[in-house]
Amino acid sequence: QVQLVESGGGLVQTGGSLRLSCAASGRTLSGYDLGWFRQAPGKEREYVAIINWITGNVYYADSAKGRFTLSRDIVKSTVFLQMSGLKSEDTAVYYCAARRSGSTSYDDWGQGTQVTVSS
């Protein structure tokens, strides 16, 4: 099992930036993908971005392309989601999740961090 702890959420104005962090522990991350998801009030949880721990390849949802950047620090076993050009529709609880590469399901989840974008 991978333990995940998110941080970095907060209140930001439209057009502003935030960097979310997700610290992983409990298992070696080789062979895992780490992803960010978000859930807005009254909406289903949606995928934001995912990174393969070994290759560093990153995939983004259309809503994140061009505004969000996902990266990793291998030494610290931490992934970062740099968000810029934030919009009100980015307001959500952001979750970090882990899955074994090749799996379709995410088995490990963090507790989430709130991001609120105000106009």
Side-chain angles (χ1 to χ4, degrees), residues 9-99:
L11 176 64
V12 63
Q13 290 188 330
T14 299
S17 299
L18 276 177
R19 189 176 81 155
L20 306 183
S21 301
C22 172
S25 61
R27 296 190 72 97
T28 301
L29 294 179
S30 58
Y32 278 84
D33 300 328
L34 268 66
W36 284 96
F37 292 76
R38 67 186 184 185
Q39 187 166 19
K43 295 187 177 181
E44 293 188 355
R45 186 160 51 193
E46 65 176 4
Y47 151 76
V48 176
I50 182 173
I51 187 167
N52 179 276
W53 193 258
I54 292 296
T55 66
N57 291 337
V58 181
Y59 305 90
Y60 297 97
D62 288 343
S63 60
K65 289 178 182 176
R67 299 189 300 126
F68 295 1
T69 301
L70 179 56
S71 61
R72 75 195 190 298
D73 184 324
I74 294 176
V75 174
K76 296 182 179 179
S77 295
T78 300
V79 293
F80 303 99
L81 185 67
Q82 178 68 48
M83 306 186 293
S84 60
L86 285 165
K87 307 173 184 179
S88 58
E89 51 262 46
D90 295 317
T91 295
V93 178
Y94 283 71
Y95 297 91
C96 182
R99 70 177 184 188

Side-chain angles (χ1 to χ4, degrees), residues 95-113:
Y95 297 91
C96 182
R99 70 177 184 188
R100 292 187 182 274
S101 297
S103 172
T104 58
S105 64
Y106 288 83
D107 296 323
D108 303 304
W109 292 84
Q111 82 287 353
T113 185

